[in-house]
């Protein structure tokens, strides 16, 4: 604001001389991270966060390398400790498969779902060697690979699960490619459950729209240590899905039909069947 | 408990399911096995499971892999017919069960039959991850 030593100018053109002005700014100091309702405008909430920008396959691979694969390798043990309770929806799906089924868990993480049922054979795969080591310690069979390229012959599986993995792919085309890969694993009649984080975070507890991710491509932080003194901060990339988005994507895959879509604990879940 | 959860390596069932995914490869199956360290363990036999798997197996590759590991004794050379009405002799199914589920590769290498690209098996876990340019 430029200084006006002469004074204020009124609408009629009169000039009044300026007096002393007193300006008061009231600030509130917080001792905790900001949780204001304007995360996408907030400097504190966005401080240090990476920016999402993907214009090529190389960009996509880079984001998924730096903000997914590498992070999971670093946080594997800590991450595994926080992932111990199987979700009922996934358990229900596994229980709905025929006895003596052959199942692949794509993006199996710490192997939480590999031993849920005694009478089916579930093989896990994941991109993180450290997470697979945890699976091995627990006595499960796994192999390492990226879900965008599965080294498996087609049409062998009675069931496939892909839990909280698809949302780490940074372009629509890659997400679609992954779904097509999952579909190709299935025998005719075989079924797949896919779950992804929802942009809408509270649809099932009455607080509709109460909290949403500010955009669909987000970086979510992870603190490696408990105490703040030597906490190491990592960011994981997520593409969070809007209502209908996962279903629409599955409908673009050849040879499958959608069985059901549900919202469970802030995740969109879709079951589809190979025709 | 039918399927014991003390797996320490890659089973031959899994080997039979896997193929090379190197770029441009036309027929990446089966992956060649080499430098293998193998463990044999007991897994409870279930005829239903073996019967279900029969028609999904590439029989020639299974016999070759089993022969290479020295565990092919008693395995029929031709794939047993797997129609619903066929009731395989239990001891044949048990031999197939042994080869599929009781032999585990804990260390070794898988090799793409077309490119020669090697995928290590370390601590029982095959590492099939490709680099960006592959």
């Amino acid at each position: 604001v430029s200084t006006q030593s002469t004074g204020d100018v009124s609408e009629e053109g009169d000039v009044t001389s300026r007096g002393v002005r007193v300006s008061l700014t009231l600030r509130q100091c917080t001792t905790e991270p900001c949780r204001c309702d304007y995360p996408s405008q907030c400097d504190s909430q966005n401080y240090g966060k990476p920016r999402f920008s993907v214009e090529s396959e190389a960009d996509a691979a880079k984001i998924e390398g730096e903000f997914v694969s590498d992070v999971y390798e670093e946080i594997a043990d800590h991450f595994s400790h926080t992932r111990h309770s199987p979700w009922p929806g996934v358990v229900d799906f596994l229980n709905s498969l025929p006895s003596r089924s052959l199942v692949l868990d794509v993006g199996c993480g710490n192997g939480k779902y590999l031993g849920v049922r005694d009478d089916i054979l579930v093989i896990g795969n994941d991109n993180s060697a450290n997470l697979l080591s945890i699976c091995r310690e627990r006595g499960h069979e796994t192999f390492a690979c990226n879900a965008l390229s599965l080294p498996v012959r087609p049409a062998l599986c009675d069931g496939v699960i892909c839990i909280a993995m698809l949302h780490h792919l940074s372009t629509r085309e890659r997400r679609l490619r992954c779904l097509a890969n999952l579909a190709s694993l299935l025998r005719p009649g075989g079924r797949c459950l896919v779950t992804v984080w929802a942009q809408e975070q509270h649809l099932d507890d009455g607080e509709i729209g109460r909290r949403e991710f500010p955009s669909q491509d987000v970086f979510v932080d992870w603190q490696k240590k408990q105490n703040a003194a030597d906490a190491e901060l990592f960011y994981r990339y997520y593409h969070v899905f809007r209502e209908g988005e996962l279903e629409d994507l599955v409908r673009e895959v050849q040879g499958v039909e959608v069985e059901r879509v549900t919202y469970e604990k802030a995740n969109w879940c879709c079951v589809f069947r190979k025709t | 408990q039918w399927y014991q959860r003390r797996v320490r390596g890659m089973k031959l069932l899994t080997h039979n399911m896997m193929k090379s995914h190197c770029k441009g490869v036309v027929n990446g199956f089966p992956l060649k096995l080499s430098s293998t360290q193998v463990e044999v363990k007991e897994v409870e036999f279930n005829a239903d499971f073996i019967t279900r798997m029969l028609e999904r197996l590439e029989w020639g590759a299974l016999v070759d892999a089993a022969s290479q590991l020295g565990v092919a004794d008693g395995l029929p050379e031709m794939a047993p017919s797997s129609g619903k009405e066929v009731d395989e002799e239990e001891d044949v199914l048990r031999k197939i069960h042994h080869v599929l589920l009781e032999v585990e590769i804990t260390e070794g290498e898988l090799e793409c039959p077309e490119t020669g690209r090697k995928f290590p098996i370390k601590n029982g876990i095959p590492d099939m991850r490709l680099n960006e340019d592959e």
Side-chain angles (χ1 to χ4, degrees):
Chain A
V1 179
S2 59
T3 350
Q4 296 220 11
S5 53
T6 46
D8 294 313
V9 182
S10 73
E11 275 179 40
E12 291 81 16
D14 296 340
V15 174
T16 330
S17 62
R18 255 191 192 175
V20 172
R21 287 182 173 191
V22 176
S23 171
L24 294 175
T25 305
L26 302 175
R27 294 181 198 267
Q28 181 181 20
C29 293
T30 73
T31 53
E32 292 169 1
C34 181
R35 279 191 204 91
C36 72
D37 290 337
Y38 311 98
S40 53
Q41 283 80 34
C42 176
D43 284 341
S44 300
Q45 291 191 43
N46 284 335
Y47 185 74
K49 279 200 176 168
R51 290 209 98 83
F52 178 73
S53 164
V54 171
E55 277 159 41
S56 65
E57 279 294 290
D59 285 350
K62 196 155 172 289
I63 288 218
E64 291 160 24
E66 195 182 334
F67 298 106
V68 181
S69 306
D70 292 353
V71 173
Y72 277 113
E73 289 291 41
E74 284 282 338
I75 69 177
D77 281 335
H78 186 205
F79 175 77
S80 178
H81 280 128
T82 67
R83 298 296 193 267
H84 44 76
S85 320
W87 294 346
V90 181
V91 173
D92 287 347
F93 175 78
L94 289 169
N95 285 337
S96 75
L97 297 171
S99 184
R100 314 298 162 184
S101 280
L102 181 63
V103 180
L104 226 55
D105 181 348
V106 178
C108 66
N110 68 348
K112 193 162 83 166
Y113 297 110
L114 300 178
V116 158
R117 205 174 140 179
D118 270 354
D119 64 335
I120 61 176
L121 199 160
V122 186
I123 301 170
N125 63 73
D126 203 277
N127 210 25
S128 162
N130 289 338
L131 283 172
L132 292 182
S133 294
I134 295 170
C135 294
R136 189 194 188 282
E137 276 168 37
R138 296 176 181 179
H140 299 304
E141 184 177 359
T142 63
F143 59 90
C145 73
N146 188 306
L148 286 171
S149 177
L150 293 170
V152 180
R153 288 194 287 120
L156 295 178
C157 297
D158 299 290
V160 170
I161 58 175
C162 183
I163 308 304
M165 182 263 135
L166 193 76
H167 53 207
H168 284 311
L169 297 175
S170 59
T171 71
R172 187 181 195 276
E173 192 274 332
R174 286 162 88 88
R175 296 187 284 268
L176 187 56
R177 212 189 319 159
C178 183
L179 284 172
N181 286 347
L182 300 180
S184 75
L185 293 171
L186 295 170
R187 297 165 53 78
R191 294 159 67 238
C192 173
L193 168 65
V194 182
T195 75
V196 294
W197 279 20
Q199 185 179 23
E200 314 90 339
Q201 286 287 293
H202 278 286
L203 287 187
D204 55 0
D205 62 10
E207 299 183 65
I208 295 171
R210 162 80 177 80
R211 201 182 101 203
E212 271 202 0
F213 284 100
S215 80
Q216 286 192 262
D217 295 292
V218 293
F219 292 89
V220 178
D221 46 64
W222 180 281
Q223 284 224 315
K224 195 171 176 185
K225 292 280 192 320
Q226 292 293 53
N227 67 70
D230 60 347
E232 213 181 332
L233 196 63
F234 296 92
Y235 291 108
R236 283 178 301 161
Y237 164 76
Y238 286 83
H239 173 85
V240 295
F241 283 65
R242 276 205 294 256
E243 179 165 10
E245 186 181 341
L246 178 60
E247 183 178 352
D248 287 347
L249 213 56
V250 171
R251 288 191 194 284
E252 282 189 39
V253 176
Q254 305 272 16
V256 300
E257 53 188 35
V258 172
E259 210 173 80
R260 70 160 199 275
V261 176
T262 53
Y263 179 93
E264 183 185 338
K265 292 193 214 273
N267 284 263
W268 288 112
C269 311
C270 179
V271 175
F272 61 85
R273 183 175 60 253
K274 185 75 167 279
T275 52
Chain B
Q1 192 178 36
W2 165 60
Y3 178 54
Q4 293 177 330
R5 297 195 201 308
R6 289 195 313 271
V7 178
R8 289 169 47 81
M10 185 181 81
K11 296 182 191 272
L12 289 184
L13 170 62
T14 311
H15 172 258
N16 199 264
M17 291 171 64
M18 284 175 54
K19 66 169 173 55
S20 168
H21 57 155
C22 296
K23 213 190 299 191
V25 162
V26 172
N27 182 19
F29 179 86
L31 295 163
K32 294 188 196 171
L33 286 167
S34 62
S35 316
T36 51
Q37 269 178 50
V38 163
E39 285 181 19
V40 177
K41 61 184 311 152
E42 205 176 301
V43 174
E44 190 188 316
F45 169 71
N46 182 278
D48 286 342
F49 181 75
I50 303 304
T51 309
R52 283 174 71 91
M53 293 302 114
L54 278 180
E55 60 177 336
R56 309 182 201 195
L57 300 170
E58 286 289 337
W59 193 256
L62 182 68
V63 174
D64 287 346
S67 303
Q68 193 180 337
L69 300 185
V71 296
D73 274 358
L75 213 53
E77 284 214 12
M78 302 292 292
S81 47
S82 52
K84 284 182 189 134
E85 289 77 20
V86 173
D87 186 14
E88 282 298 325
E89 299 276 359
E90 184 177 293
D91 61 326
V92 173
L93 290 180
R94 280 184 178 271
K95 296 250 169 18
I96 299 170
H97 159 84
H98 175 70
V99 165
L100 288 180
L101 297 182
E102 293 189 325
V103 179
E104 295 179 355
I105 302 168
T106 51
E107 301 288 330
E109 277 179 344
L110 297 165
E111 184 184 316
C112 171
E114 258 181 53
T115 67
R117 207 281 201 194
K118 289 190 170 22
F119 299 95
I121 303 172
K122 227 184 123 199
N123 226 15
I125 303 172
D127 188 346
M128 308 302 296
R129 292 175 297 181
L130 296 169
N131 299 322
E132 263 317 293
D133 50 337
E134 292 176 293

